[in-house]
Amino acid sequence: MGPTLIYSCFLSGATLAVYHGSPLGRGFGKFVQDAGVTILGTVPSLVKTWKSTQCMEGLDWTKIKIFCTTGETSNVDDDLWLSSKSYYKPVIECCGGTELASSYIMGSPLQPQAFGAFSTPSMTTGFVILDENGVPYPEDVSCIGEVGLFPLYMGATDRLLNADNEEVYFKGMPIYKGKVLRRHGDILKRTVEGYFVVQGRADDTMNLGGIKTSSVEIERVCDAADECILETAAVSVAPSNGGPEQLIIFVVLKKGYNSDAETLKRKFSKAIQSNLNPLFKVNLVKIVPVFPRTASNKILRRVLRDQMKRELSIQSRL
């Protein structure tokens, strides 16, 4: 977000307001109110916390003209709640990466917007959505697949420290219109209406009963399964002795709420089988106080996955 903020604000003559402290509590909300912020940047996890704790109630955010969100996949209900804080102003999605120094897809106030969705590639960006064989889908077809970026991209890396840029971003990628596509790692859905929805990372896809699905799809269903749930993280782990992948749901409960793993396991299984696929089975639910996160507040599912692999490996040896 550094390059985006600096160039967007200073080159357009805007004022950049930076808060010193945690953005999770009311202090941040009062700062937004008192500073007269007109464009507020958020992360979905922050919005979820504000909504669940009701810490922003009574504050005046009506000077905000646009909300912007990045870092994670958005929740439509949370976006609706956020938008309501300023007469239902739009929530502009922005998705990119450190290695791009910007975004590759975003929303635009010049186009109709939908909560939790993107409306356009960013400036200088081109991309295609690839099927399981690496073949690009036609641009006018609704589909889900891994995104492949056009290789010429303003701001993208051409070398890396301690790694090979070519191997990391281009090796194994298909050729499109005579050029090798750049790997980014997002799973993207193009809707019938032409909007784009990020379905999570390619690394966070799982194979359950022979069917590919993403962590984000499962988490959306599980988040709504019980009012005690603040957040969920879905991972799949293959048993050390072989066999199909096991679905494991990590849960953080809302403050002041109690539940047990077995009760949540039944509720998650029912919700997933009713809303996603009747063949999906929740093997284990683990309640934790917090999720491991990156500096930008993204959930580190691979850390949870590795932790679960170690636990299952120890159990199998006992």
Side-chain angles (χ1 to χ4, degrees):
M1 291 305 297
T4 303
L5 284 171
I6 291 169
Y7 282 99
S8 297
C9 291
F10 297 157
L11 290 183
S12 64
T15 299
L16 174 61
V18 181
Y19 179 71
H20 180 68
S22 170
L24 292 171
R26 189 175 180 83
F28 175 76
K30 191 172 186 310
F31 169 78
V32 171
Q33 169 190 279
D34 295 348
V37 170
T38 56
I39 300 177
L40 178 61
T42 66
V43 174
S45 293
L46 292 179
V47 178
K48 187 180 290 293
T49 300
W50 297 339
K51 180 183 174 187
S52 66
T53 60
Q54 300 181 6
C55 64
M56 302 303 180
E57 294 304 312
L59 294 175
D60 182 3
W61 280 9
T62 54
K63 289 184 179 178
I64 296 173
K65 298 177 181 178
I66 291 177
F67 296 94
C68 297
T69 180
T70 189
E72 296 174 303
T73 302
S74 292
N75 177 283
V76 173
D77 291 336
D78 291 348
D79 275 1
L80 179 60
W81 174 87
L82 180 66
S83 177
S84 73
K85 294 299 173 186
S86 186
Y87 302 127
Y88 294 94
K89 292 299 194 300
V91 180
I92 299 298
E93 298 278 342
C94 176
C95 182
T98 303
E99 79 284 356
L100 300 177
S102 60
S103 64
Y104 75 90
I105 189 172
M106 63 191 309
S108 170
L110 300 178
Q111 298 170 314
Q113 296 300 295
F115 286 130
F118 305 83
S119 61
T120 181
S122 302
M123 187 181 297
T124 80
T125 303
F127 64 80
V128 291
I129 300 175
L130 306 170
D131 65 18
E132 292 187 355
N133 299 313
V135 178
Y137 286 102
E139 293 185 2
D140 57 349
V141 171
S142 59
C143 56
I144 299 177
E146 185 173 349
V147 67
L149 301 180
F150 290 4
L152 297 180
Y153 187 102
M154 188 166 64
T157 59
D158 59 6
R159 59 191 180 278
L160 297 175
L161 291 173
N162 305 318
D164 186 324
N165 191 78
E166 190 72 22
E167 183 171 339
V168 171
Y169 295 117
F170 293 96
K171 186 177 180 179
M173 290 296 288
I175 295 174
Y176 180 74
K177 293 186 176 180
K179 295 183 179 180
V180 179
L181 293 171
R182 182 185 177 99
R183 180 180 293 105
H184 183 65
D186 281 348
I187 299 294
L188 207 61
K189 174 182 179 181
R190 183 190 291 120
T191 69
V192 174
E193 296 85 3
Y195 292 102
F196 300 96
V197 180
V198 174
Q199 301 284 285
R201 301 288 293 171
D203 294 343
D204 294 327
T205 58
M206 54 188 81
N207 189 320
L208 302 175
I211 300 170
K212 260 193 173 182
T213 189
S214 71
S215 297
V216 172
E217 286 182 296
I218 292 173
E219 290 161 6
R220 278 180 177 153
V221 172
C222 291
D223 284 348
D226 194 282
E227 64 175 5
C228 74
I229 296 163
L230 176 63
E231 203 168 11
T232 59
V235 301
S236 67
V237 177
S240 57
N241 57 354
E245 294 181 20
Q246 297 181 353
L247 175 58
I248 298 162
I249 311 292
F250 288 83
V251 184
V252 175
L253 300 177
K254 291 178 182 175
K255 189 175 182 180
Y257 283 79
N258 290 304
S259 189
D260 61 90
E262 282 303 314
T263 299
L264 291 177
K265 180 180 175 181
R266 289 194 297 272
K267 290 185 176 182
F268 290 158
S269 293
K270 183 178 179 181
I272 290 170
Q273 290 169 359
S274 299
N275 295 284
L276 286 179
N277 193 305
L279 300 177
F280 292 172
K281 174 188 175 184
V282 178
N283 295 89
L284 180 66
V285 169
K286 194 172 179 66
I287 299 173
V288 295
V290 293
F291 291 145
R293 295 183 180 275
T294 65
S296 60
N297 216 41
K298 296 178 185 177
I299 297 174
L300 288 166
R301 294 183 184 86
R302 59 177 174 78
V303 173
L304 296 172
R305 189 183 300 114
D306 291 344
Q307 173 190 324
M308 209 64 241
K309 283 180 180 178
R310 287 194 297 271
E311 291 184 20
L312 293 175
S313 178
I314 291 171
Q315 290 174 13
S316 67
R317 292 198 297 266
L318 296 177

